[in-house]
Amino acid sequence: MAQRMLPTWLTLAAIAAATVFGAYHLTHGFRAVTSDQARQRTLAASPRALPTIPLVDSHGQRTELRQIANEHPYTVVALVYTQCTSLCLLTASSEAYLQARLRDADLQKQVGLVTISFDPARDTPEELARYARRVKADAATWTITTVADPSDLDLLLDTFGVVVLPDGAGGYTHNGALFLVDRHGRLFDALDPDAADRAFERLAALVGSP
């Protein structure tokens, strides 16, 4: 009996070892336990250049992602959709908090905020304007946008490592982060959506705030 069971246990042990080995590499040697943490480590090691993606903002004006990034030494980018009632609310709250902290620290000229909707069919400029009023976005600091051409959406999501799946109820299940971009259009960090304090501290250090 024991001899017949031996191959089964060896097989299970081999599967377990392969699983651990794969997890080790996927999580950068167990130093990153989630996909977002792995993405953060990857970006820190090798910043990612933003592609040229035309956008339209809440005023109906055409702009471009790298152009917005060039307006400040650093920019915080978040990807949401305005009808979201879960993760996006947390992200919007973090951006609103950052807007207030940056203003209080007189850093609003050093750090900009950008929200990009990945639901361009519903998030028209009019809907984006309503969203901007809802989150009390100061247009001088916080730009609310979506892709001007829906065909650019896949490139946008791929660039930021955001996965968006229909939830079957008219909304989306998705991941997200507070993405940090420099004025040269390089994505160099990604913090959890609720890590507004850490994002502010990181940015304040980068711009040399006392």
Side-chain angles (χ1 to χ4, degrees):
M1 180 69 174
Q3 288 180 336
R4 287 198 298 271
M5 291 182 65
L6 185 58
T8 299
W9 283 110
L10 286 175
T11 300
L12 291 175
I15 292 172
T19 300
V20 171
F21 180 78
Y24 180 88
H25 285 276
L26 287 174
T27 61
H28 296 254
F30 296 124
R31 290 170 294 182
V33 296
T34 69
S35 59
D36 283 342
Q37 288 174 321
R39 174 176 55 190
Q40 184 176 1
R41 294 190 63 82
T42 299
L43 290 174
S46 181
R48 186 176 304 164
L50 297 180
T52 300
I53 299 178
L55 304 174
V56 59
D57 67 18
S58 57
H59 304 287
Q61 300 296 313
R62 296 281 292 239
T63 184
E64 197 267 314
L65 183 54
R66 296 187 66 167
Q67 177 183 335
I68 298 174
N70 188 247
E71 294 174 0
H72 300 87
Y74 297 97
T75 301
V76 180
V77 180
L79 275 67
V80 306
Y81 70 107
T82 67
Q83 297 186 40
C84 180
T85 59
S86 54
L87 182 62
C88 302
L89 295 181
L90 177 60
T91 305
S93 177
S94 288
E95 287 197 287
Y97 173 84
L98 281 170
Q99 178 178 247
R101 287 291 305 272
L102 292 167
R103 183 170 52 239
D104 290 346
D106 197 25
L107 294 178
Q108 66 270 34
K109 293 183 180 179
Q110 304 297 315
V111 180
L113 302 170
V114 178
T115 298
I116 308 175
S117 168
F118 50 74
D119 189 11
R122 289 183 293 186
D123 286 338
T124 62
E126 293 76 19
E127 191 61 41
L128 294 176
R130 281 191 283 271
Y131 179 82
R133 290 192 293 271
R134 193 158 69 242
V135 299
K136 297 180 171 57
D138 180 353
T141 303
W142 190 351
T143 304
I144 313 291
T145 69
T146 189
V147 291
D149 185 344
S151 68
D152 287 325
L153 189 56
D154 286 344
L155 177 59
L156 176 73
L157 296 176
D158 287 346
T159 298
F160 288 92
V162 172
V163 178
V164 177
L165 300 172
D167 63 6
Y172 300 97
T173 298
H174 63 95
N175 62 334
L178 299 174
F179 298 98
L180 306 190
V181 175
D182 66 22
R183 75 179 332 147
H184 303 293
R186 293 178 301 196
L187 169 59
F188 66 91
D189 204 353
L191 304 176
D192 290 340
D194 61 350
D197 273 317
R198 264 199 310 133
F200 176 79
E201 291 167 3
R202 176 87 195 274
L203 292 163
L206 287 169
V207 298
S209 174

